[in-house]
Amino acid sequence: MSMQPKATVEVTAKDLQGPGVVFCPNPKMPLWSGHPKVFIDVATEGAGRCPYCGTEYKLKAGEKVAHGH
């Protein structure tokens, strides 16, 4: 039985920080539901899940991530 994500957040290439990551909790989450800030790699496989709250972050269809320095 696989764990279903609590929520799915679609992100664009512009939303990515540093080397293709997003952070959770994200700025749209209410403060009361906060947990330690974690960085989630979405560039490698197109999606990633927060180990604390289960929110899935998914690269929007058709988005391209630049892999340059």
Side-chain angles (χ1 to χ4, degrees):
M1 183 161 131
S2 65
M3 185 178 126
Q4 292 297 314
K6 183 177 180 180
T8 299
V9 178
E10 278 195 326
V11 295
T12 65
K14 282 188 195 178
D15 296 325
L16 302 179
Q17 309 290 314
V21 299
V22 292
F23 61 87
C24 189
N26 67 59
K28 294 179 181 174
M29 291 180 159
L31 289 176
W32 62 264
S33 67
H35 56 66
K37 187 180 203 177
V38 291
F39 292 88
I40 301 161
D41 176 9
V42 295
T44 302
E45 296 189 23
R49 187 176 308 211
C50 177
Y52 287 100
C53 68
T55 300
E56 181 181 30
Y57 292 87
K58 191 175 186 177
L59 201 56
K60 201 171 197 174
E63 286 291 312
K64 302 288 183 214
V65 179
H67 292 287
H69 292 271

